[in-house]
Amino acid sequence: MNDEFRSLFPLTSDVVYLDSAATSLTPTSVLEEMNDYYNKYCANIDRGVHHLSKLASHRYGDTHKKIGELIGCSGKEVVLTKNTTEAINQVAFGLDWSKNDHVITTVMEHHSNFVPWLRLREKGVKVDVIGIKNGQIDLNELKNKITSETRLIAICHASNVLGTINPVIEIGKICRENDILYLVDGAQSTPHLPIDVQKIGCDFYSFSGHKMLGPTGIGALYCKQKHQEKLKPLMVGGGNVSNVTKTGYTLKKGYHRLEAGTPNIAGAIGLTKAIQILNEIGLKNIRKHEEKLNKTLIDELRNLDGLNILNPDIDRTGVISFTIKGKDPHKIALQLDQKNIIVRSGNHCSQPLVEHYNYDKVIRTSHYIYNTQKEIKTLCKELKKLI
């Protein structure tokens, strides 16, 4: 990416930012769009007849539409949430579960697509966790775990530790053949890959704005319209009720019933701008850019003594994790931080996956559209010194 584009991200002039899987940098144009809301038409949505509320409501509603266009669905099937975690919890605790219902998830999940399903065991739901082979979901084990009681399969589109891109379309076919609900965690894929929920064949798809150039505090859940009336809202109150009496209430129809309270209006408007930027660049172009950076980084890391890359040869997003023999990942991350190189160390909210590789923590780099070949080589140069 050229210097003009990088100038939209002021932090890139100060640091080598390689922690985009945790949160991406936010362009100044996104912040300006959010400031315009606060400075020019600040009002609550769907709460008044005045022109400020109407404009804010229109802009908020436009976010549903733009997200739908991005992932291949109707804006009416988009529920705005706080983040991916809230979106997945809305499904996990919005569905009616019966004792002995069965859920299948995987060892490579982020805790946000893992813990909500484990918690269902309190309701008597059976939860199976399938393993991985060579950094990828073991499809044979997945098929073998399916029973007549299997109600839902929940998997990540891409791993936040390995970068693995899972065969979500193939898994979608398996779910349809067995009449199983299908939830995909798209937090690590939506910023990096073209998404079409119709091709994937999922019932639910979730992601967060802050990993795709947007602000924090805004995310989305794709929910097929036929499921919207079946989900119980996580919260009730202002915004998602159409009628209230002393003895009861009536919920609104569609996605409105799942969006209680005053939402993150500015965040939604900022996310719309972020989506516009991604569309202008093109997700296919983002993918090509990351693949080039991946090749450079993996080639360089392979030449460093004692450095072990987790599954270097998989099809991946811009996420690469590794360990260095005899070196503590946290210490390495702190030493890189002193050189203004930002990476993450730890279990990355994927403790079962990291432990699968017999580690308690690893070092993770995650690049994005604002990173350059020069920055990748700077990282490798500093790692070589540390080793």
Side-chain angles (χ1 to χ4, degrees):
M1 295 297 166
N2 59 37
D3 291 340
E4 183 180 355
F5 178 74
R6 275 170 59 87
S7 69
L8 295 174
F9 305 88
L11 259 178
T12 59
S13 63
D14 300 323
V15 300
V16 175
Y17 189 80
L18 296 169
D19 194 22
S20 293
T23 195
S24 66
L25 299 180
T26 309
T28 51
S29 53
V30 169
L31 301 177
E32 288 165 358
E33 200 78 14
M34 295 168 68
N35 282 335
D36 277 352
Y37 161 73
Y38 284 115
N39 292 327
K40 298 178 180 178
Y41 56 100
C42 185
N44 213 329
I45 61 164
D46 302 326
R47 304 291 202 280
V49 296
H50 56 79
H51 73 281
L52 294 181
S53 179
K54 287 183 177 180
L55 179 54
S57 300
H58 171 74
R59 294 298 304 277
Y60 182 80
D62 194 45
T63 303
H64 291 82
K65 179 183 175 183
K66 296 302 182 186
I67 290 174
E69 292 171 355
L70 179 72
I71 64 174
C73 69
S74 165
K76 294 179 180 179
E77 295 178 299
V78 174
V79 180
L80 292 183
T81 63
K82 186 168 58 180
N83 45 39
T84 307
T85 304
E86 183 180 47
I88 293 171
N89 274 271
Q90 172 60 78
V91 177
F93 299 103
L95 290 171
D96 276 326
W97 297 95
S98 300
K99 189 175 181 180
N100 294 325
D101 276 347
H102 181 222
V103 171
I104 299 173
T105 188
T106 83
V107 75
M108 72 161 54
E109 304 306 316
H110 187 282
H111 293 164
S112 294
N113 196 32
F114 195 77
V115 178
W117 311 115
L118 294 185
R119 192 176 174 189
L120 289 179
R121 288 173 172 167
E122 298 171 7
K123 296 176 177 286
V125 175
K126 299 175 183 177
V127 181
D128 271 323
V129 180
I130 65 168
I132 58 175
K133 283 185 176 181
N134 301 318
Q136 298 176 320
I137 288 177
D138 187 339
L139 288 180
N140 287 329
E141 185 182 357
L142 174 65
K143 293 174 184 177
N144 290 334
K145 288 290 186 182
I146 292 173
T147 72
S148 60
E149 295 174 324
T150 304
R151 188 163 175 212
L152 182 141
I153 292 176
I155 61 105
C156 60
H157 194 164
S159 166
N160 73 308
V161 175
L162 305 174
T164 307
I165 300 172
N166 285 316
V168 290
I169 294 176
E170 187 175 348
I171 296 171
K173 290 177 181 177
I174 294 170
C175 288
R176 289 194 299 277
E177 289 168 359
N178 292 276
D179 194 25
I180 296 169
L181 292 173
Y182 183 28
L183 179 142
V184 179
D185 172 1
Q188 295 295 332
S189 54
T190 310
H192 308 280
L193 308 169
I195 305 299
D196 187 334
V197 293
Q198 307 305 323
K199 287 184 179 178
I200 293 171
C202 56
D203 299 278
F204 310 101
Y205 193 94
S206 57
F207 61 91
S208 297
H210 71 96
K211 297 181 190 293
M212 50 189 289
L213 308 185
T216 58
I218 188 74
L221 169 68
Y222 159 70
C223 176
K224 277 187 178 179
Q225 273 190 290
K226 68 178 184 179
H227 298 313
Q228 286 180 359
E229 300 301 317
K230 299 175 185 175
L231 288 183
K232 294 178 181 176
L234 286 178
M235 299 184 294
V236 291
N240 70 338
V241 289
S242 59
N243 187 55
V244 180
T245 68
K246 290 181 180 180
T247 56
Y249 61 89
T250 304
L251 290 170
K252 288 183 177 179
K253 300 293 184 181
Y255 69 75
H256 298 283
R257 70 193 300 279
L258 301 174
E259 294 185 12
T262 298
N264 184 355
I265 303 169
I269 291 166
L271 179 55
T272 302
K273 181 63 177 179
I275 290 171
Q276 178 188 328
I277 294 170
L278 293 176
N279 286 334
E280 288 171 356
I281 299 168
L283 283 155
K284 289 183 179 178
N285 292 326
I286 293 171
R287 175 81 174 126
K288 289 178 183 177
H289 178 69
E290 291 181 349
E291 285 175 335
K292 290 177 181 177
L293 296 181
N294 282 346
K295 185 178 186 310
T296 299
L297 181 52
I298 290 173
D299 286 348
E300 294 275 350
L301 293 180
R302 285 185 195 271
N303 293 324
L304 298 181
D305 292 337
L307 190 145
N308 177 50
I309 306 169
L310 273 58
N311 299 105
D313 300 317
I314 56 173
D315 185 25
R316 64 178 358 112
T317 60
V319 172
I320 297 170
S321 293
F322 58 91
T323 59
I324 300 173
K325 189 174 181 179
K327 302 286 186 179
D328 178 77
H330 287 331
K331 187 174 181 180
I332 292 291
L334 286 170
Q335 289 173 318
L336 289 172
D337 183 48
Q338 291 171 3
K339 300 294 183 179
N340 288 326
I341 300 172
I342 310 300
V343 300
R344 186 175 170 186
S345 57
N347 63 36
H348 311 287
C349 296
S350 294
Q351 188 176 346
L353 177 58
V354 173
E355 290 179 352
H356 168 82
Y357 287 90
N358 296 316
Y359 298 117
D360 62 348
K361 50 186 177 290
V362 297
I363 304 160
R364 183 186 72 188
T365 68
S366 51
H367 44 259
Y368 203 21
I369 51 179
Y370 33 69
N371 292 117
T372 65
Q373 293 281 347
K374 182 180 178 181
E375 289 180 321
I376 296 301
K377 290 181 179 179
T378 298
L379 165 68
C380 295
K381 180 180 177 181
E382 292 302 326
L383 282 172
K384 187 174 183 180
K385 288 180 183 178
L386 293 176
I387 292 175

